[in-house]
Amino acid sequence: MPSWRVHRALASLVSAGLPRDAARGLLVGVVEPDAVPDLEVRCRGGRCRAVRMRHHAGVPRGLVEYYFNLACFYRARGDLHAAGRALGRALHYIHDGAVKTRRWLLFNVHDEVEREMERLVDALPDLCIGVTARRSNRAAEALCFAYVESRRLVERFISEPPPTRKAARGALWRGRAKKWGLVAAALAVGATAGFPAGLLGFLTGAVFLLWTPGEYVAAMRGGVACVKPRRYVPALTC
């Protein structure tokens, strides 16, 4: 994984435009997963267990999105430092996911790539002119991917105004009505239809119980709901 200096240098570069407390929280959160890890739920043979997150198996988009939503949640509640911490944790996984540790599927180049990233980080953002920003086992490409994706996420956070508390509550109630309306309809079909349509109705109702409407996410960003990520046990929660 990139060194803390690389994580913090990247976070500092993309923090322009954030409130001061959020920028300070960003520098804390961007290294925090190495000390306070998130967990990933893995299932095999019908049994599931929570294990420490892998840091180079690609960018865990579900966890990154959760921490983005959590940053919005804290911002809506007026806690800008916590908002920055959550956003920083999202950036951490973008940075780690930028590095491919294998070359030609045989050679582990993890240490080599990260030493080179440490050397190159002070050349950002000019380094990325003419460099393809992508997940890579080449330091410049991985570093530019981490920089570009981090900047994109922070700019998204800055540009998306939080919904008002009233709008967030309205979204939550609309989401609940949509979800439970579909559950009730599916169960009604299951109760009245014969087999196998009835069984399908009950199974569909069970699926809708697990479904998270988009309105719930809007409510979370407005600070009135907490939507936990699937497949992960986050260290920082609402």
Side-chain angles (χ1 to χ4, degrees), residues 210-229:
L210 300 174
W211 175 54
T212 301
E215 289 86 353
Y216 282 25
V217 174
M220 181 174 179
R221 292 180 184 173
V224 300
C226 189
V227 181
K228 299 294 179 63

Side-chain angles (χ1 to χ4, degrees), residues 8-91:
R8 284 181 169 144
L10 285 164
S12 181
L13 279 169
V14 302
S15 65
L18 288 174
R20 181 178 298 177
D21 284 349
R24 288 174 176 167
L26 191 78
L27 294 178
V28 173
V30 77
V31 298
E32 203 173 65
D34 287 337
V36 185
D38 298 294
L39 303 179
E40 180 182 12
V41 177
R42 297 185 200 167
C43 298
R44 185 176 180 179
R47 300 182 66 181
C48 298
R49 60 193 181 101
V51 298
R52 188 168 178 150
M53 278 291 301
R54 294 170 293 177
H55 287 251
H56 289 294
V59 179
R61 296 292 179 183
L63 190 59
V64 169
E65 189 68 11
Y66 164 76
Y67 275 125
F68 176 84
N69 294 335
L70 186 62
C72 295
F73 173 91
Y74 281 126
R75 176 178 61 181
R77 295 204 164 198
D79 190 341
L80 292 177
H81 189 272
R85 277 182 63 206
L87 198 59
R89 292 185 74 99
L91 295 191

Side-chain angles (χ1 to χ4, degrees), residues 184-194 197-199 201-202:
L187 293 180
V189 170
T192 58
L199 177 60
F202 283 118

Side-chain angles (χ1 to χ4, degrees), residues 165-181 213 215-216 219 224-225:
R165 194 61 60 91
K166 180 179 179 181
R169 289 197 184 99
L172 180 60
W173 283 108
R174 288 194 304 275
R176 285 173 175 170
K178 181 187 295 186
K179 176 173 182 172
W180 289 105
E215 289 86 353
Y216 282 25
V224 300

Side-chain angles (χ1 to χ4, degrees), residues 53-134:
M53 278 291 301
R54 294 170 293 177
H55 287 251
H56 289 294
V59 179
R61 296 292 179 183
L63 190 59
V64 169
E65 189 68 11
Y66 164 76
Y67 275 125
F68 176 84
N69 294 335
L70 186 62
C72 295
F73 173 91
Y74 281 126
R75 176 178 61 181
R77 295 204 164 198
D79 190 341
L80 292 177
H81 189 272
R85 277 182 63 206
L87 198 59
R89 292 185 74 99
L91 295 191
H92 181 97
Y93 290 110
I94 290 174
H95 300 171
D96 281 0
V99 179
K100 288 186 176 180
T101 61
R102 296 282 172 178
R103 187 167 292 166
W104 302 308
L105 302 178
L106 296 174
F107 302 105
N108 189 326
V109 293
H110 171 275
D111 293 344
E112 172 191 335
V113 172
E114 294 191 345
R115 280 195 299 269
E116 185 69 3
M117 290 175 74
E118 180 105 12
R119 187 182 70 81
L120 292 174
V121 70
D122 292 330
L124 288 172
D126 294 342
L127 171 72
C128 298
I129 298 173
V131 172
T132 302
R134 61 184 177 185

